[in-house]
Amino acid sequence: MHKKRLLSFVLSIFIILNSFVLVKASELTDIEGVDIPYMLYDLSADKTLIANKAAQPIAIASITKLMTVYLVYEALESGKIGLNTKYTYTQEELDLYLQGSDVPLERGATLNVDELMHLLLIRSANSSALALSKVVAGNEKIFVNMMNEKSKALGMKNTHFINCHGLPILSTDEQNMSTIDDLNILVKSLLEKFPQITKITSLQSYNIDRYGIKTVNTNTLLGLKTVDGLKTGTTTKAGRCLISTATEDMEGMEGKRRIVSYVFGATNDKERTNISANLINYGLDNYVYKRVLTGNETYKINLDTINFKYDKVLLKPTGSIEALLNTNETYNLKIEYKDVGVEAINKGDILGTVKLLIDNKLIEQVNLVANHDVERNNWFMRFWLKVKAKF
């Protein structure tokens, strides 16, 4: 009589992860009691790790320039403009100099798109944003329409732009508005489509010698671990804002994991920097993106040699398992084998699963399939082997 059975073998990877608990752990000390909007997001896993008031409408100040540069990158990609496309400063750009972050250029100064992008992202130059809007669209009004159209296309449902640089309208204090959730959509798309942006945002400084321009990056988090961007912003209404991003190597696979932190409404630069640093450290120290199953492993189920021509069937996973793991928690790989029955086994038959679990909660799984055919003995051979087994 054939009896159904479920065999389980649990392989703990706690020892592997426990080493990270000892080496990498850090705590969220700087955000305790802080009630401003912030978020920590893992781009590789598409997962929000920590969030507070991420859906709350906020003024975004010069974070606006990320949408501006997004449209510039699209124009470059389409061939509409080039990095060497020139723009000559007018009085309109110079008028922005007294209103906020900018560089001292005179009317008639000519810069190319590459230089304007560097000033935009490193010094947060408002005049560069205006100049780039004209290069791409002809005038700022058309460009702002493009910004709002792009935000809708990306799915940013609670975002509205009134200008290309983020300065408030002085008479009304009207400003560009968004949410962290919406900005995360923009940043994800920006980093995925145009990863070259970090070649600019990672620079500590940038100079244009022919005009005597020397700039220092406004992002004070550069130099912390692998931080390579992304953008600062400040207005009275927005407070001090910073979107930061950093990477680390994935484990057991090629590639880098990327995290992004968002901090809005900080009261001063120190608070903005400390909270951002705490989020980045926490994200890098407490999580690891790891391949826990390569897909090349071999498993086996022992077979009844009276019924089958072989004493075992070899199994292989149908794929790999990669996951973002919290190094403070215990994960298990649970391997479950199915009852093979009595009929012939065909290559590719699903005979088990490998499951990645945390606290018995399934995170991901792949099937185990037969790696080869296994024929069943004919009735005479089965009869003979049963008789033989009795003596």
Side-chain angles (χ1 to χ4, degrees):
M1 179 178 178
H2 187 75
K3 186 177 181 181
K4 283 201 167 189
R5 60 196 181 278
L6 180 66
L7 304 176
S8 296
F9 171 70
V10 179
L11 173 64
S12 173
I13 58 172
F14 172 74
I15 294 175
I16 296 173
L17 294 180
N18 189 48
S19 63
F20 293 112
V21 173
L22 296 175
V23 176
K24 299 186 67 176
S26 65
E27 298 179 355
L28 288 167
T29 55
D30 285 295
I31 66 172
E32 292 179 1
V34 174
D35 200 29
I36 61 174
Y38 60 80
M39 186 169 82
L40 178 63
Y41 170 81
D42 191 289
L43 182 65
S44 305
D46 192 19
K47 182 178 181 180
T48 298
L49 305 182
I50 305 162
N52 186 59
K53 297 183 175 180
Q56 176 179 297
I58 49 175
I60 60 174
S62 283
I63 300 298
T64 296
K65 296 180 175 84
L66 292 179
M67 178 59 87
T68 299
V69 80
Y70 191 104
L71 295 178
V72 173
Y73 275 122
E74 285 196 329
L76 287 166
E77 185 179 55
S78 69
K80 181 178 181 180
I81 62 173
L83 288 174
N84 289 319
T85 300
K86 303 289 194 299
Y87 179 81
T88 300
Y89 268 49
T90 68
Q91 188 61 44
E92 192 175 9
E93 283 77 46
L94 301 186
D95 288 343
L96 291 175
Y97 180 74
L98 298 177
Q99 296 185 43
S101 180
D102 223 314
V103 290
L105 285 167
E106 296 181 357
R107 185 169 58 181
T110 300
L111 281 70
N112 62 34
V113 166
D114 185 56
E115 292 169 327
L116 291 169
M117 291 173 71
H118 278 75
L119 294 178
L120 178 84
L121 293 170
I122 295 172
R123 183 62 186 89
S124 195
N126 297 312
S127 62
S128 296
L130 182 57
L132 286 166
S133 75
K134 293 178 179 180
V135 171
V136 173
N139 64 63
E140 186 186 16
K141 182 178 180 180
I142 295 175
F143 189 83
V144 171
N145 287 336
M146 292 171 62
M147 295 171 75
N148 286 314
E149 288 173 2
K150 179 55 65 175
S151 66
K152 290 178 182 178
L154 290 173
M156 300 168 66
K157 298 179 180 180
N158 298 295
T159 298
H160 182 68
F161 296 102
I162 60 172
N163 59 44
C164 62
H165 40 67
L167 287 171
I169 295 176
L170 297 178
S171 60
T172 63
D173 199 33
E174 185 181 359
Q175 300 188 32
N176 295 330
M177 300 293 292
S178 188
T179 66
I180 289 180
D181 285 336
D182 271 11
L183 291 172
N184 192 47
I185 294 172
L186 173 61
V187 170
K188 282 195 294 183
S189 184
L190 181 60
L191 289 171
E192 288 169 357
K193 288 188 65 178
F194 308 112
Q196 64 269 34
I197 189 175
T198 58
K199 292 182 179 179
I200 298 178
T201 58
S202 61
L203 295 175
Q204 293 276 8
S205 61
Y206 180 72
N207 302 329
I208 302 177
D209 293 335
R210 69 183 185 279
Y211 289 121
I213 299 297
K214 298 182 183 298
T215 66
V216 175
N217 202 312
T218 57
N219 185 357
T220 54
L221 229 60
L222 291 179
L224 173 67
K225 295 185 175 178
T226 57
V227 171
D228 56 3
L230 194 58
K231 191 69 192 72
T232 59
T234 301
T235 64
T236 301
K237 186 175 182 178
R240 264 64 170 185
C241 316
L242 176 58
I243 299 179
S244 305
T245 182
T247 62
E248 70 174 358
D249 291 336
M250 295 181 178
E251 294 200 7
M253 56 193 295
E254 294 184 359
K256 288 187 178 293
R257 166 188 172 226
R258 181 174 288 280
I259 61 173
V260 185
S261 72
Y262 300 80
V263 175
F264 284 79
T267 56
N268 54 57
D269 290 342
K270 182 179 180 181
E271 182 182 54
R272 176 177 71 180
T273 299
N274 288 346
I275 295 174
S276 298
N278 197 181
L279 290 170
I280 290 292
N281 282 325
Y282 183 84
L284 294 178
D285 291 351
N286 291 277
Y287 292 86
V288 57
Y289 198 89
K290 185 178 181 65
R291 176 171 286 167
V292 296
L293 189 77
T294 68
N296 297 319
E297 295 83 357
T298 299
Y299 303 91
K300 70 176 181 178
I301 296 177
N302 293 325
L303 300 176
D304 178 3
T305 53
I306 291 177
N307 189 67
F308 293 102
K309 288 190 175 182
Y310 299 120
D311 63 350
K312 61 180 176 293
V313 57
L314 300 179
L315 312 179
K316 66 177 182 180
T318 54
S320 60
I321 294 180
E322 299 98 22
L324 181 69
L325 306 180
N326 186 324
T327 59
N328 299 300
E329 297 175 322
T330 302
Y331 291 81
N332 296 303
L333 277 180
K334 186 176 183 181
I335 303 167
E336 295 180 345
Y337 299 113
K338 292 183 178 180
D339 176 18
V340 297
V342 297
E343 299 302 323
I345 298 170
N346 298 313
K347 182 177 180 179
D349 283 351
I350 297 174
L351 298 178
T353 56
V354 181
K355 298 178 178 180
L356 178 62
L357 306 171
I358 174 173
D359 297 329
N360 292 320
K361 179 182 178 181
L362 178 65
I363 296 175
E364 191 174 349
Q365 71 177 35
V366 296
N367 289 325
L368 291 173
V369 297
N371 203 25
H372 54 90
D373 295 333
V374 180
E375 295 182 13
R376 187 186 186 192
N377 289 320
N378 59 42
W379 71 269
F380 180 78
M381 181 60 70
R382 296 197 302 274
F383 174 77
W384 167 248
L385 289 173
K386 285 180 181 178
V387 171
K388 184 179 178 181
K390 293 181 179 180
F391 296 97

